Amino acid sequence: MRAADRRVGRRRAPRRARPGLLSVAAALLAVAGVVGWLVVRDGGSVMPGFAGGPVAMLAAFVACRRIGSLIVVARPIRAFWRLLSHSAVCIGIGSVSALALANNDRGMTPYTAAPVLLGVAMSMLAFLRLPIERRSGLRWTQLILDGATVAVGGGLVYWYVVLGFADDSLTAVTRIGAAVVGVGALISLIVIGRAAMSPVSAVDSLSLRILAVPPLVAVATTVLLIAGGDTGRLVISVLGLPVVGAAMALAAYRQQLVLARPAGAPAARATRSLLNALPLVAVIATAALVINEAARQLGSHQRVVIIGAVLIAAFVAARQLLGLRDNDRLLVGVRRQQAELEHLAMHDPLTGLANRARFGTVLAERLDAHRPASVLLIDIDDFKMVNDTMGHAVGDQLLFEVAQRLRNHSTVSYLPSRLGGDEFAVLLDVDEAAQAEEAAARILAALAVPFKVGEHQLLAHASMGVALAGPGDSADEVLRNADIAMYAAKAAGKASWARFEPRMRNEVVNHARLGSELHNAIIRHELYLQYQPVFDIVTGRIAGAEALVRWRHPVRGNVPPGDFIPVAERSGLIVPLGSWVLREALEQLAEWHGEYGAASIQSINVNVAARQLREAGFVDEVAAVLSDTRLMPANLVLEVTESSVLDGRQVRETLQALHEMGVRLALDDFGTGQSSLSLLRAFPVDVLKLDKSFVDGICDGEDRGRLAVAAAVAQLAEYLDLYAVAEGIETAAQMERLRAMGYRLGQGYHMARPLPPDEMAAMMVRTARAVTTA
């Protein structure tokens, strides 16, 4: 896509409409060329005049086919314009035949009449297949009777009036061919009138009215071909088909402009159409023929009777029409409400984009038709923070702006949708990975530009999953694959995209299976705790311990925490798991206090996840466990990560309540986030735990950055009167270097690995005696 197409703003709509506008221009140029030829013609061959027909019909085919191939429109609209493109092909064949014959003879040869009549039939089929309203048996009967009325009346007019002016040299075949095409065009006007009148028609009503021009031109053409003079016959012969092509291209362009507008409620439609008066016109014309014949063959008394009977029939018909008019007014409101409800059922009310129902329907249609399809699933990163900090009104406005950005950066062959919440999707009509990835990168780059929301400038990054539809895939499977890829993008660090690969599904299945087994493990007591001591690296005494959960699976053996903790967080099992760890750890500390007294550690560290902190009753739960174990709040240290602290207002309020209760709070993995220093002002922290990544290599002297951060954290803790704990100490040299920097507390494999409760108790007693003896 060109760079100009990536710009945000209103300039994009003209680019969407340009292909349709080119088709209209080509058709109009064909009409203008024929008119110019008629003006300057001075005898000679008439073949140049017939050249405009194929050109205009080709333009009509391109315009109609373009809409019929779009995925952003409903299936009935696509089917309608595809059938019209087939009609344009048939009529175009007729125009080629007329060009090949190139004469100004009366009537219409079968080589021209047959394809044109087939084109008329295809156009009528397109209108009949439109879901304009629920067609009951009565509706179909009315439509058939209207068509029969027009067919009989039109046939009588052609037979009695038009053919009456025909030249004797006109052959029966060419005469009948022209008459059949004319009557067929009259019948098609009935069908067009029904569709244009309906307030729930899927196709734009003005486009339908423009499409009434071709049958009117066909009627005029057949009349002049039978009964017209040489000049009139030549003008309509060479100009009729170009006008038909121009009308079809213009109707398609109008439909394309409507589709390019932002989605909204269906526009109001006219309730009546002059085309629906054709049955009445046919009745009046037939009555006039009857009166004319009666005037010729009957006496005065019989003429009066015939005229009176016709007048009575006309009065009764007029009375019925007036009565039906009131009924039509009542039905219009019902149908308009039905159209609005159908629109609301398929569009998101906040953003105007297609909703999940329409997105799934269009995707399923493409897959059923074996057409290319790819899905981009988009989730706004940390959107909950916007709602929590700025309110839902700002959040809704941000979602609207995101939708506008998606609409402006999607081509007309894409279908942007809002699936719900802060989750969006874009349906692409491509099946090449490179094209889908290019679209994903372009949309992510567009979303990375700050949004102007009221008085705020907001930066809303997004994670995106890309899934290409494969053979035999259902709509649900493609969406599920995109969802899996989107979570992979989030796991990779957010603000990125990932393309679905089959191995991802296996990982999800394994995670789901592991989640089910973890649920059973909590019930079956397969989980246990180990305790990693936190040492005073100056005195050598154990100052505390961190409780670490372990899982002994009956079949898998020991499952690493790195495998089941993410599963617990994603599935929500982290809440019951965290509750079990909290109670188990505090009960163990209370048991050590009762058995070893002053030799035991005074506090225990327990890790808590953001999901736990979002629970409304978490503070009460902590208070209840402390009360049950007869421990003081100071005996508990809750370790939280920086991302947890930034999770929203509820988390901050929970942490503040815990701090006011007396529970100490530790900021785990300190230094790895992007807002560490600002957190120290807003977060009631008591302990800073330096991340292991800053301890690794601290003695090599090669990475001065790590050394500087580690030293800065120690000084910062000292100035703020906080405890600083160095994590991941694995060598004596590291411990010596950290001690020289001012660290008092540390933990790591150099001092002790995580231990079972009995070994932890033995080490507590042993270190306590050693310190006392020293």
Side-chain angles (χ1 to χ4, degrees):
M1 179 174 290
R2 294 184 294 269
D5 288 339
R6 300 191 182 107
R7 297 172 186 167
V8 179
R10 299 181 179 177
R11 296 181 181 178
R12 188 162 187 82
R15 292 188 178 274
R16 293 180 179 178
R18 179 170 293 178
L21 186 59
L22 290 177
S23 297
V24 173
L28 292 178
L29 284 176
V31 174
V34 172
V35 172
W37 176 81
L38 287 171
V39 172
V40 302
R41 175 180 177 270
D42 187 16
S45 173
V46 297
M47 180 173 287
F50 285 94
V55 175
M57 294 313 303
L58 177 61
F61 166 77
V62 172
C64 296
R65 187 64 185 178
R66 175 174 173 77
I67 300 178
S69 62
L70 296 180
I71 65 173
V72 295
V73 299
R75 184 176 184 179
I77 300 179
R78 296 202 306 271
F80 174 81
W81 289 103
R82 278 200 301 268
L83 282 172
L84 277 190
S85 69
H86 299 159
S87 174
V89 170
C90 295
I91 299 175
I93 294 173
S95 68
V96 172
S97 173
L99 175 63
L101 296 175
N103 59 65
N104 193 26
D105 297 338
R106 294 180 178 275
M108 186 177 291
T109 66
Y111 305 105
T112 303
V116 170
L117 187 61
L118 181 59
V120 172
M122 294 288 290
S123 65
M124 281 196 290
L125 179 61
F127 281 98
L128 289 173
R129 291 185 61 182
L130 277 178
I132 56 176
E133 57 186 303
R134 184 178 178 273
R135 288 195 178 102
S136 62
L138 178 60
R139 289 288 183 182
W140 277 110
T141 302
Q142 290 175 339
L143 184 60
I144 292 172
L145 289 176
D146 287 343
T149 302
V150 172
V152 173
L156 289 174
V157 170
Y158 268 90
W159 174 71
Y160 189 81
V161 179
V162 178
L163 293 179
F165 292 96
D167 190 271
D168 293 338
S169 62
L170 184 62
T171 65
V173 174
T174 56
R175 180 187 308 176
I176 294 174
V180 170
V181 171
V183 174
L186 286 173
I187 297 174
S188 69
L189 286 174
I190 292 295
V191 180
I192 295 175
R194 287 286 183 180
M197 184 185 68
S198 174
V200 295
S201 177
V203 179
D204 176 64
S205 62
L206 181 55
S207 296
L208 297 179
R209 285 171 167 76
I210 296 174
L211 289 173
V213 172
L216 291 174
V217 172
V219 172
T221 301
T222 55
V223 170
L224 290 177
L225 285 177
I226 295 174
D230 290 341
T231 302
R233 192 167 61 249
L234 177 62
V235 171
I236 201 66
S237 296
V238 298
L239 198 57
L241 288 175
V243 171
V244 169
M248 295 179 70
L250 184 60
Y253 178 62
R254 162 66 187 182
Q255 178 71 76
Q256 195 168 330
L257 289 180
V258 173
L259 295 175
R261 296 172 182 169
R269 298 178 181 271
T271 60
R272 293 179 299 280
S273 171
L274 293 177
L275 298 179
N276 289 283
L278 278 179
L280 182 59
V281 173
V283 171
I284 294 174
T286 304
L289 292 178
V290 171
I291 294 173
N292 183 62
E293 284 297 311
R296 292 182 179 181
Q297 301 178 10
L298 300 177
S300 59
H301 295 289
Q302 290 85 354
R303 295 173 191 171
V304 172
V305 173
I306 293 296
I307 294 172
V310 171
L311 289 176
I312 291 174
F315 294 155
V316 172
R319 176 64 181 86
Q320 292 298 322
L321 289 174
L322 290 175
L324 291 175
R325 182 178 179 183
D326 292 336
N327 293 336
D328 288 340
R329 288 178 175 176
L330 294 176
L331 289 174
V332 163
V334 175
R335 290 169 180 168
R336 185 175 290 111
Q337 289 179 359
Q338 179 183 357
E340 292 173 353
L341 290 175
E342 290 177 356
H343 178 85
L344 290 175
M346 302 300 283
H347 291 82
D348 175 56
L350 175 62
T351 64
L353 296 179
N355 61 9
R356 181 181 292 272
R358 186 185 175 200
F359 185 87
T361 300
V362 176
L363 176 58
E365 290 173 358
R366 291 195 67 81
L367 296 178
D368 292 342
H370 305 288
R371 305 184 68 186
S374 299
V375 171
L376 308 181
L377 192 65
I378 306 163
D379 187 83
I380 307 301
D381 295 331
D382 303 319
F383 176 75
K384 185 177 183 297
M385 188 186 306
V386 176
N387 275 341
D388 289 343
T389 58
M390 299 184 180
H392 289 275
V394 174
D396 288 346
Q397 183 63 30
L398 176 61
L399 292 177
F400 179 81
E401 294 298 332
V402 169
Q404 293 297 104
R405 197 75 60 87
L406 288 178
R407 183 182 286 115
N408 290 332
H409 285 79
S410 296
T411 68
V412 293
S413 60
Y414 295 174
L415 177 64
S417 308
R418 182 190 178 205
L419 304 186
D422 62 338
E423 191 174 69
F424 296 84
V426 179
L427 177 58
L428 315 179
D429 63 342
V430 301
D431 56 3
E432 295 292 335
Q435 293 176 301
E437 292 172 358
E438 180 185 357
R442 184 176 66 251
I443 291 177
L444 276 187
L447 296 178
V449 178
F451 291 86
K452 177 68 173 177
V453 181
E455 300 177 353
H456 307 282
Q457 286 281 350
L458 301 181
L459 191 62
H461 291 295
S463 299
M464 182 185 300
V466 182
L468 278 64
D473 284 348
S474 66
D476 288 340
E477 288 173 333
V478 178
L479 271 173
R480 186 163 57 248
N481 293 344
D483 189 59
I484 292 172
M486 185 267 291
Y487 276 106
K490 282 188 176 293
K494 301 181 179 181
S496 62
W497 59 267
R499 183 162 62 87
F500 173 78
E501 298 177 4
R503 63 171 179 80
M504 294 180 180
R505 183 185 294 114
N506 297 332
E507 293 174 358
V508 170
V509 171
N510 291 335
H511 277 206
R513 184 181 297 114
L514 194 62
S516 176
E517 295 174 356
L518 179 60
H519 177 270
N520 295 331
I522 298 174
I523 300 174
R524 297 171 182 172
H525 305 291
E526 297 174 5
L527 303 174
Y528 63 96
L529 293 184
Q530 288 187 336
Y531 301 88
Q532 184 171 32
V534 177
F535 284 87
D536 185 325
I537 59 177
V538 176
T539 65
R541 181 167 181 167
I542 298 178
E546 181 179 355
L548 301 172
V549 65
R550 298 291 185 262
W551 181 9
R552 186 182 295 109
H553 193 281
V555 177
R556 301 172 185 257
N558 287 323
V559 181
D563 289 348
F564 70 85
I565 293 298
V567 173
E569 291 178 342
R570 185 170 178 177
S571 64
L573 288 173
I574 194 68
V575 175
L577 176 61
S579 298
W580 178 85
V581 171
L582 176 67
R583 181 169 289 276
E584 185 75 11
L586 289 179
E587 287 179 351
Q588 183 63 67
L589 180 63
E591 182 180 333
W592 285 336
H593 281 189
E595 186 171 352
Y596 302 107
S600 70
I601 59 176
Q602 295 303 306
S603 62
I604 194 80
N605 292 28
V606 177
N607 292 281
V608 292
R611 182 70 176 268
Q612 292 176 266
L613 297 172
R614 288 199 299 267
E615 295 291 316
F618 182 71
V619 176
D620 294 335
E621 178 185 354
V622 172
V625 177
L626 289 172
S627 175
D628 293 343
T629 55
R630 298 183 180 181
L631 293 174
M632 301 298 294
N635 297 129
L636 175 62
V637 179
L638 295 180
E639 296 191 11
V640 297
T641 61
E642 293 180 14
S643 59
S644 299
V645 177
L646 296 172
D647 197 66
R649 182 185 306 167
Q650 176 65 42
V651 171
R652 292 196 301 273
E653 292 177 353
T654 299
L655 292 174
Q656 187 64 41
L658 290 169
H659 182 72
E660 293 173 356
M661 183 193 300
V663 175
R664 290 184 291 167
L665 302 176
L667 199 57
D668 199 11
D669 301 331
F670 185 75
T672 59
Q674 299 179 354
S675 307
S676 301
L677 297 181
S678 63
L679 280 179
L680 297 180
R681 299 180 60 187
F683 173 59
V685 64
D686 299 288
V687 181
L688 296 181
K689 300 193 72 175
L690 180 69
D691 187 70
K692 181 180 182 298
S693 62
F694 296 102
V695 176
D696 294 339
I698 198 173
C699 298
D700 298 340
E702 297 179 359
D703 192 342
R704 300 183 61 84
R706 294 185 188 179
L707 188 64
V709 172
V713 170
Q715 294 178 9
L716 189 64
E718 181 180 356
Y719 293 150
L720 297 178
D721 196 21
L722 304 176
Y723 290 100
V725 180
E727 296 183 288
I729 303 174
E730 297 182 350
T731 66
Q734 289 176 347
M735 186 173 69
E736 289 299 327
R737 191 62 180 270
L738 290 167
R739 184 188 296 129
M741 289 181 182
Y743 282 90
R744 178 94 183 189
L745 303 174
Q747 65 183 107
Y749 283 5
H750 172 65
M751 287 88 77
R753 291 175 175 269
L755 302 171
D758 54 346
E759 295 183 22
M760 178 66 192
M763 179 173 283
M764 285 189 306
V765 174
R766 186 169 60 251
T767 56
R769 289 175 180 174
V771 171
T772 302
T773 302

